Amino acid sequence: MLVNILVYFFDFAQFPLGDHDVGYEDGIPLLSGGRAGRWFTPFLHLLSGHVQVPVYTQLLAFATQITAGMGAVLLWRPKAKAWLLFVGGIVISCMPAVTDFYYYHYMALAFTASQLFMVLALHASLKPGRHRLLSYALAVVLATCALASYQSSIMTWTTCFWGLVLIKLLEWDGNLSALYVLCKALCPTLLCLMAACLLYAISLRLYPLLGLSLELYQFQTIAFSDLPQRLWELARQSWLHLVVPQGFMSLWLKILLLCALARGAAAMLSRAVHVTQRQLLKVSILIVAIALFPVAAKSQFLVSNNSNWYLYRFLAMGLSYVYSFFLLTLLADSKTPIRNAGLLLFILLLPCMAVNCLDQQIRHVRSTEHDLAVLNRVIGRIESLPNFDPDKTYNLVQLGRTKSYLQDTPRVGPLTPLSSRTISQAWNPGFELWLLSKYLKLGDRLNEEIQKRPDLMEKALHFARDKQAFPHQGSIGIVDDTIILIFDRDAIPTAEARLKTLKQ
């Protein structure tokens, strides 16, 4: 926990709000997340009283993420000592991808708790004990709650499960009957996940019956005919992700992680060759299983048409566990040189991960300060207009969004949401202005993406055609009862197309 506090110090101390967070500054609605199929998140928000509480919110997320990492270690190595638990908890919780969780503070606990639920579900299904049916039922409930907290946590389940498969294959003595027994032993675990997915799907079917809207924007399924092409793309992107520098994950960190993966895989294969029976078969199966490990870390993309292959929070829920697994393989090896190699890699990885995490947090804080300064300038410009009346309620039309502080930052590879977003909400234009100044009385608020009030949009487009974008003079004006903000002229064609659609 102390290491997490140090690694996420700037977020811990400053608590900067992202574009989603600002909408929940006064409290998180009871049904928040429900529309996206995350109906268990309101129960998690009960732990914080449905409020974003600085320090406390982050501590809850730290605790659940660390516990998920340690739970994965115990899943793979039940007799792991405190040292291995420490390493597993650190790698999973301090991977720079996790910083994406804290861009969305209101959802941070859902991101981390959903992973913990999946890891606990695996434990319950693999170690049923005397009360077998109760353990399986618990596994199904936990996995269902994980899916209903954040659907992408299914990648945590498949990654941890595949790591366990690798451990079992490594222990396999080459006897075919033993391989059959192994497959049979793992079947109940797979059936528990299938039951959880079915139960979750049934829960989504209840939405229309309860009069609730449903928008699974991150989990739209693909057509069955597209499955072969999707499978190939999944494999390609999974392996490519191991080498592509990504936003705030530096090239050096990628190289260190790749070294841990390659050395861990080599250590496993060197142990596999010592089997006396069917040596070639065992080595071949193990090579295929290792090759499929990164694919298991992106399992969501097999059924979802989501194209955000490198999205940070997806990486944190899957690929982080792959790296942790192979690093632990080195540290738990019986040979001293291999253990020393693992220790050296961990010593190098920890400060590298910390620096990458702190870099992103510092930029997040500066980005928020920049956005607030720009928005206050906008408010000042509005209030200084000669026809502005502070007692009057105005409609608002916003074309485009303010420029991101990080938009010109040179980065290699796919970037994080922080790199391209501001605290302005694209789906809720003008909200942050009202939040910063209660002197602004706003009625209908729309931008180029919202399809309503064509009369207001027509008025705004007529005003904007000969104007330059902010901060030019004339980029902000009042026409009758409507405040018009021009932040980006590239938004005008989109607005014109939407207006044409509305008029049809």
Side-chain angles (χ1 to χ4, degrees):
M1 182 67 80
L2 179 59
V3 173
N4 271 250
I5 291 173
L6 293 174
V7 169
Y8 297 105
F9 174 75
F10 269 87
D11 184 85
F12 197 73
Q14 299 283 343
F15 202 72
L17 300 180
D19 59 345
H20 288 61
D21 288 336
V22 293
Y24 304 120
E25 196 169 28
D26 294 331
I28 304 171
L30 180 63
L31 297 179
S32 173
R35 188 182 65 176
R38 304 168 194 153
W39 48 259
F40 194 74
T41 52
F43 297 99
L44 293 174
H45 290 150
L46 288 174
L47 295 173
S48 60
H50 282 262
V51 178
Q52 298 179 87
V53 185
V55 178
Y56 176 67
T57 297
Q58 291 129 306
L59 286 176
L60 283 176
F62 292 166
T64 46
Q65 188 71 30
I66 292 168
T67 307
M70 290 182 173
V73 175
L74 291 173
L75 187 71
W76 300 324
R77 302 183 181 277
K79 297 180 181 179
K81 296 181 180 179
W83 164 242
L84 292 181
L85 292 174
F86 173 78
V87 171
I90 290 297
V91 172
I92 295 300
S93 62
C94 295
M95 191 67 64
V98 176
T99 52
D100 199 23
F101 295 166
Y102 306 117
Y103 182 78
Y104 308 95
H105 286 106
Y106 82 107
M107 275 289 291
L109 184 58
F111 293 139
T112 57
S114 61
Q115 296 172 65
L116 178 58
F117 291 157
M118 283 301 191
V119 172
L120 292 176
L122 277 166
H123 276 282
S125 62
L126 288 164
K127 301 171 185 177
R130 291 185 300 174
H131 305 288
R132 188 177 299 270
L133 290 178
L134 285 177
S135 295
Y136 291 153
L138 177 62
V140 172
V141 170
L142 285 168
T144 304
C145 290
L147 291 170
S149 298
Y150 200 72
Q151 297 95 334
S152 301
S153 61
I154 195 170
M155 294 186 290
T156 302
W157 191 99
T158 52
T159 309
C160 291
F161 175 78
W162 203 253
L164 182 65
V165 169
L166 284 174
I167 293 289
K168 297 297 184 183
L169 287 174
L170 192 61
E171 296 170 350
W172 175 44
D173 61 3
N175 192 303
L176 290 179
S177 60
L179 186 60
Y180 171 75
V181 171
L182 170 61
C183 294
K184 186 177 178 181
L186 294 176
C187 278
T189 303
L190 290 168
L191 290 173
C192 284
L193 178 67
M194 292 171 64
C197 291
L198 179 61
L199 193 59
Y200 177 63
I202 291 172
S203 73
L204 298 182
R205 293 287 184 182
L206 297 176
Y207 268 61
L209 300 178
L210 298 173
L212 300 173
S213 60
L214 181 64
E215 186 180 345
L216 296 175
Y217 62 93
Q218 282 186 343
F219 224 82
Q220 295 290 339
T221 55
I222 63 172
F224 185 77
S225 58
D226 296 332
L227 198 57
Q229 178 63 30
R230 187 66 171 183
L231 186 58
W232 164 248
E233 185 67 9
L234 171 62
R236 190 179 75 86
Q237 295 288 358
S238 298
W239 276 94
L240 194 61
H241 200 172
L242 299 176
V243 295
V244 172
Q246 183 185 356
F248 290 93
M249 286 188 73
S250 65
L251 177 61
W252 292 111
L253 179 56
K254 280 279 187 175
I255 291 173
L256 286 173
L257 291 170
L258 191 60
C259 286
L261 191 153
R263 190 66 187 89
M268 292 184 73
L269 291 173
S270 67
R271 284 181 58 189
V273 298
H274 296 302
V275 69
T276 56
Q277 299 184 61
R278 298 183 176 83
Q279 184 185 85
L280 181 59
L281 177 62
K282 178 173 180 177
V283 172
S284 301
I285 291 176
L286 197 59
I287 289 173
V288 172
I290 291 172
L292 289 175
F293 205 1
V295 179
K298 290 187 179 292
S299 57
Q300 125 175 340
F301 294 96
L302 186 60
V303 294
S304 168
N305 65 1
N306 197 305
S307 59
N308 292 315
W309 298 95
Y310 302 117
L311 195 64
Y312 253 36
R313 56 184 178 275
F314 295 162
L315 186 157
M317 291 185 173
L319 204 53
S320 293
Y321 290 86
V322 176
Y323 293 131
S324 177
F325 176 88
F326 284 113
L327 186 60
L328 291 167
T329 298
L330 296 175
L331 292 170
D333 198 278
S334 58
K335 297 179 181 177
T336 302
I338 295 178
R339 288 202 307 272
N340 289 342
L343 179 60
L344 177 62
L345 280 168
F346 178 67
I347 291 172
L348 293 173
L349 277 169
L350 183 55
C352 197
M353 290 191 298
V355 168
N356 277 256
C357 286
L358 287 168
D359 178 29
Q360 186 171 358
Q361 294 164 69
I362 292 169
R363 293 173 188 274
H364 189 184
V365 171
R366 290 176 179 170
S367 178
T368 302
E369 291 172 347
H370 167 268
D371 293 346
L372 291 174
V374 170
L375 291 171
N376 278 314
R377 286 171 59 195
V378 171
I379 292 170
R381 188 85 69 87
I382 292 172
E383 292 176 345
S384 66
L385 291 171
N387 53 342
F388 175 74
D389 182 354
D391 297 320
K392 187 176 179 180
T393 298
Y394 291 93
N395 298 312
L396 181 139
V397 179
Q398 175 180 316
L399 297 173
R401 299 174 73 178
T402 55
K403 287 187 177 181
S404 168
Y405 173 76
L406 297 175
Q407 70 172 18
D408 298 323
T409 303
R411 288 286 167 183
V412 179
L415 302 180
T416 68
L418 171 60
S419 307
S420 57
R421 294 181 182 174
T422 69
I423 62 173
S424 299
Q425 297 181 336
W427 59 93
N428 195 4
F431 174 81
E432 68 285 347
L433 296 175
W434 172 82
L435 200 66
L436 287 170
S437 176
K438 302 297 174 143
Y439 292 102
L440 278 178
K441 300 180 178 65
L442 299 177
D444 288 332
R445 296 177 281 118
L446 61 149
N447 59 16
E448 70 279 2
E449 297 180 13
I450 295 176
Q451 299 188 36
K452 68 176 185 180
R453 294 297 303 270
D455 57 318
L456 296 182
M457 184 56 71
E458 193 167 20
K459 187 188 299 184
L461 288 173
H462 180 75
F463 172 84
R465 282 193 178 95
D466 60 344
K467 303 292 193 305
Q468 295 297 313
F470 183 84
H472 287 279
Q473 291 296 326
S475 59
I476 297 175
I478 296 177
V479 178
D480 300 328
D481 61 348
T482 304
I483 297 172
I484 301 168
L485 311 176
I486 309 170
F487 289 141
D488 186 358
R489 284 196 58 85
D490 289 341
I492 292 177
T494 304
E496 290 174 335
R498 291 290 173 94
L499 180 60
K500 186 177 180 179
T501 303
L502 284 174
K503 286 186 171 182
Q504 287 177 350

